[in-house]
Amino acid sequence: MAQRSTLHADVVIIGFGAAGACAALEAAHAGARVVVLDRFGGGGASALSGGVVYAGGGTREQRAAGVSDSPEAMFAYLRQEVSDAVSERTLRRFCEGSTEMVTWLAEHGVPFEGSLCPYKTSYPSNRHYLYYSGSEAAGGFRDVAPPAPRGHRTKGRGTSGKVLFNALAAAVRRAGVQVLTQTRATELVVDADGRVCAVECEQLRGTAAREHRMVSRVAAKPGLYVPKLARKLHRRAESLERRAEPLRIHADRAVIIAAGGFVSNREMMRRHAPAYRAGLPLGTQGDDGSGIRLGQSVGGVPDKLDRVSAWRFITPPSALLSGLLVDQRGSRIGDESRYGAAHGQAIVEEHGGRAWLLVDRDLRRRAKHQLRSQTVWFQRMQAEYLLATAATGDTVEAVARRAGVDPGHLQATVDTHNDAARAGKPDPAGKPADFVRPVDQPPYSLLDVSVRPSTAYPCPVLTLGGLRVDEDTGQVLDERGDPVAGLYAAGRSAVGICSNSYISGLSLADCVFSGRRAGVHSVKELSDADS
């Protein structure tokens, strides 16, 4: 057996995604010697993401786009979405520090731009980098707070999470942080006083490390769309890990867990969120819950593991917002202008995973016309698939029978909606008037937006729960609510801002918020005790 190597640092960070990178930057800025380790090559789900950071209150990008916003309006809206995931005090701190957060990211090389998307979409095209990324303008929310676009997409073509992470990774290395890739944390070491003081690891070197890096890189992005391929490549990565050598990293001040969620752990998904197993795991094979389990091994307590976000977007094209989202009985599921994760949650938890979008001839024609101008490649493929496979019929009842939807209930739903639309009355489901129009031009189509395993129209899912943490410091808490000495958590390894419900950009924003918090306070812990 290989002899165990040792390293020493003030702060050891497990996981090199957005949360881990932000924690490293703050700890290094405070003067700490920092080591970041990652089982793969770094980036994790952050690098695979759309690179959207939820921010508001009057950011430079909002002002450049002529958008008026305030921390108070941002708080009022997010309070409805966040609910009790964090306290009001923490949410206010998040909102009040939002503009500074974007400035901080920009100072570390993350590019943003105030080009406002003029239509409602799940993700803007390469021409726009500021958009309504949640339900701010949906019915029921406009009365709570003045709506404002707060989705700040990192400027870069395609899904730009890689641009965001690459900028942070470069900043981390400029800060003198030691980054160990192909290094897997296997155990937390606790000293005689009960403080987490070291991390036991397994590290690949040489040829095995290079092959592991290549295999894991290939598995990440294609594997997101072809999970079977990801699992096959991951098995190869696991076989290479048998060649790893033992390494202990001593943490003189603290350990920070920033290792992602558990969406790739089938057993944990089966136990905590069985209804969401039909979704496409949105993450890497590293999102296996290992960080959460490490925290549990030394007394940390997880929470909200049943909270999962399922994305069932009906836009783009934006014309589809005027359709009617219905269940198998033919009843409306809700305001179609709501954020896609709100639809996904309702479809999975209240409607047995089955849902259809009813459109007429005019909406279908407009949607096809908008395909090229409003979509990026993966959105275009999915929209074209939905339109091509839709059930059609010359009457509402005929299309309902072909799709397997209750004809009588669907007809009643359409009649109620159309009567209100023609009379200029409020929409029965609360949809804003901007998107309401009669659905009465045959032929009709029912687009199947059910949540089920599908390669052509997958429903991405990500886990939102994690370890309980002190909201002021990010320190992991035990079952009594006391802090676990020397241990912090951030990102999707921790309960945070988005742990009840998700809107685009809120997870990355929480990674920045909670990562920076953990980085700052991990350095303070022993310093305060010594003073």
Side-chain angles (χ1 to χ4, degrees), residues 18-43:
C22 291
L25 286 169
E26 289 290 17
H29 180 72
R33 295 170 301 154
V34 183
V35 171
V36 182
L37 61 96
D38 195 277
R39 180 182 178 184
F40 301 106

Side-chain angles (χ1 to χ4, degrees), residues 234-252:
H234 186 59
R235 285 193 293 272
R236 175 56 183 161
E238 287 181 318
S239 69
L240 289 166
E241 288 171 352
R242 299 191 191 108
R243 306 183 203 172
E245 300 175 11
L247 169 68
R248 173 177 282 193
I249 311 176
H250 293 272
D252 293 341

Side-chain angles (χ1 to χ4, degrees), residues 153-334:
R153 176 187 165 195
T154 305
K155 188 173 183 180
R157 297 188 64 80
T159 50
S160 48
K162 59 185 177 296
V163 178
L164 179 142
F165 174 72
N166 288 343
L168 290 175
V172 165
R173 290 185 168 92
R174 286 196 302 271
V177 172
Q178 185 174 5
V179 178
L180 304 178
T181 59
Q182 276 56 57
T183 303
R184 182 180 186 179
T186 59
E187 183 183 352
L188 296 179
V189 180
V190 178
D191 65 18
D193 295 325
R195 177 182 165 273
V196 176
C197 63
V199 182
E200 294 285 5
C201 306
E202 295 176 346
Q203 184 180 44
L204 284 169
R205 298 177 183 174
T207 302
R210 289 190 292 273
E211 184 178 348
H212 188 275
R213 186 179 300 111
M214 180 188 70
V215 168
S216 59
R217 184 183 300 122
V218 173
K221 193 70 172 186
L224 185 61
Y225 300 99
V226 189
K228 288 183 179 178
L229 172 63
R231 289 193 290 271
K232 181 178 180 180
L233 292 171
H234 186 59
R235 285 193 293 272
R236 175 56 183 161
E238 287 181 318
S239 69
L240 289 166
E241 288 171 352
R242 299 191 191 108
R243 306 183 203 172
E245 300 175 11
L247 169 68
R248 173 177 282 193
I249 311 176
H250 293 272
D252 293 341
R253 293 182 182 272
V255 172
I256 300 173
I257 297 173
F262 63 91
V263 74
S264 294
N265 186 314
R266 289 179 164 185
E267 194 279 326
M268 288 184 72
M269 288 294 291
R270 187 181 301 114
R271 188 190 331 154
H272 299 291
Y276 290 90
R277 289 171 57 214
L280 174 72
L282 189 62
T284 71
Q285 293 298 309
D287 288 291
D288 61 357
S290 56
I292 296 171
R293 295 196 304 276
L294 282 172
Q296 288 181 272
S297 72
V298 293
V301 175
D303 196 8
K304 299 187 180 295
L305 298 188
D306 61 332
R307 302 305 301 157
V308 173
S309 180
W311 297 359
R312 192 37 98 214
F313 294 109
I314 61 175
T315 62
S318 59
L320 297 180
L321 288 170
S322 296
L324 305 180
L325 186 65
V326 299
D327 62 13
Q328 197 160 13
R329 292 186 68 252
S331 301
R332 292 277 289 280
I333 288 176

Side-chain angles (χ1 to χ4, degrees), residues 30 56 83 116 147 230 266 329 335 350 431 438 451 511:
S83 186
L116 181 62
R266 289 179 164 185
R329 292 186 68 252
D335 171 7
E350 302 171 24
K431 181 159 59 179
V451 175
C511 284

Side-chain angles (χ1 to χ4, degrees), residues 227-466:
K228 288 183 179 178
L229 172 63
R231 289 193 290 271
K232 181 178 180 180
L233 292 171
H234 186 59
R235 285 193 293 272
R236 175 56 183 161
E238 287 181 318
S239 69
L240 289 166
E241 288 171 352
R242 299 191 191 108
R243 306 183 203 172
E245 300 175 11
L247 169 68
R248 173 177 282 193
I249 311 176
H250 293 272
D252 293 341
R253 293 182 182 272
V255 172
I256 300 173
I257 297 173
F262 63 91
V263 74
S264 294
N265 186 314
R266 289 179 164 185
E267 194 279 326
M268 288 184 72
M269 288 294 291
R270 187 181 301 114
R271 188 190 331 154
H272 299 291
Y276 290 90
R277 289 171 57 214
L280 174 72
L282 189 62
T284 71
Q285 293 298 309
D287 288 291
D288 61 357
S290 56
I292 296 171
R293 295 196 304 276
L294 282 172
Q296 288 181 272
S297 72
V298 293
V301 175
D303 196 8
K304 299 187 180 295
L305 298 188
D306 61 332
R307 302 305 301 157
V308 173
S309 180
W311 297 359
R312 192 37 98 214
F313 294 109
I314 61 175
T315 62
S318 59
L320 297 180
L321 288 170
S322 296
L324 305 180
L325 186 65
V326 299
D327 62 13
Q328 197 160 13
R329 292 186 68 252
S331 301
R332 292 277 289 280
I333 288 176
D335 171 7
E336 291 77 13
S337 70
R338 286 288 307 275
Y339 178 67
H343 295 321
Q345 181 180 346
I347 291 168
V348 171
E349 297 184 3
E350 302 171 24
H351 302 278
R354 305 302 306 278
W356 291 260
L357 184 70
L358 178 71
V359 299
D360 62 8
R361 179 190 62 206
D362 183 55
L363 289 178
R364 187 178 180 120
R365 178 188 58 79
R366 287 170 52 203
K368 286 185 174 181
H369 181 72
Q370 294 169 345
L371 275 175
R372 187 155 297 279
S373 63
Q374 293 190 2
T375 59
V376 293
W377 68 270
F378 66 90
Q379 294 169 322
R380 189 175 309 129
M381 288 178 61
Q382 293 177 7
E384 287 175 344
Y385 171 81
L386 281 180
L387 292 167
T389 59
T392 60
D394 290 333
T395 66
V396 170
E397 291 188 354
V399 73
R401 289 193 181 91
R402 288 177 183 167
V405 175
D406 185 292
H409 274 97
L410 182 60
Q411 185 66 66
T413 295
V414 173
D415 290 343
T416 300
H417 168 271
N418 287 349
D419 288 346
R422 293 186 187 109
K425 295 180 179 179
D427 177 67
K431 181 159 59 179
D434 320 36
F435 308 120
V436 175
R437 48 136 291 171
V439 181
D440 58 4
Q441 301 296 313
Y444 299 94
S445 300
L446 276 169
L447 285 60
D448 192 342
V449 296
S450 301
V451 175
R452 62 180 187 275
S454 170
T455 56
Y457 188 56
C459 179
V461 297
L462 74 155
T463 57
L464 303 177

